[in-house]
Amino acid sequence: MDSRQNLHRLVTAALFAAAIAVMTAYLLHIPLPTGGYIHLGDALIYLAACLLPVPYAAAAAAIGAGLADLLTAPMWVLPTLLIKALIVLPFTSRGERLLCPRNVLAVVLAGVVSPTAYALAGCALMGSMAGFVPQFLGTLAQGVGSGVLFLAIAPALDGVNLKARLAGR
């Protein structure tokens, strides 16, 4: 990989991290009565995971979501760094399209892994399993919303050949 391509990926990852932080912390930020909030920042994480190789996508996801938590709920920063980096792993940036069978499956996997991991992290933070179900359901609602948003916008972005345009083709 040449230094220009590396710089392009690094800048794209940084832009995604910033957008993820803003979308997660402030835009369409819906508080939950059980604590926490629903956001659509994961849709941007899924998009980054479809556009960037795994190390760049994982960094964008962890840094962006971690920064959002640092600004809104600091106790969640460490779990978020791990969980958000983890959910990019099933996605692929290879291929011509964002919406491919593997990435659709990855949305479903992320929608299960993320709420489970956050519910377990919540239990560890509380020192009790009592918070598992409320945390799981809140994060599940967030994951479903982000998944639906991603699945709605990916065909439009594929229609304008976003991947090819970003690659300079």
Side-chain angles (χ1 to χ4, degrees), residues 22-86:
V22 170
M23 179 70 100
T24 300
Y26 301 114
L27 299 179
L28 302 173
H29 186 235
I30 306 159
L32 291 171
T34 58
Y37 56 91
I38 296 173
H39 63 80
L40 298 176
D42 285 4
L44 291 177
I45 291 174
Y46 304 160
L47 183 59
C50 294
L51 292 171
L52 294 166
V54 169
Y56 295 91
I63 292 167
L67 182 57
D69 278 353
L70 187 62
L71 295 168
T72 61
M75 69 182 190
W76 290 100
V77 171
L78 290 178
T80 290
L81 291 173
L82 297 172
I83 294 166
K84 297 307 181 184
L86 179 68

Side-chain angles (χ1 to χ4, degrees), residues 78-100:
L78 290 178
T80 290
L81 291 173
L82 297 172
I83 294 166
K84 297 307 181 184
L86 179 68
I87 66 171
V88 305
L89 296 179
F91 288 88
T92 183
S93 62
R94 295 185 178 110
E96 298 293 316
R97 306 183 62 74
L98 300 170
L99 200 58
C100 65

Side-chain angles (χ1 to χ4, degrees), residues 97-138:
R97 306 183 62 74
L98 300 170
L99 200 58
C100 65
R102 179 173 170 168
N103 289 340
V104 172
L105 179 60
V107 168
V108 174
L109 288 173
V112 173
V113 169
S114 185
T116 302
Y118 272 108
L120 291 171
C123 292
L125 289 170
M126 288 181 8
S128 166
M129 290 300 289
F132 184 89
V133 171
Q135 181 67 45
F136 179 85
L137 294 176

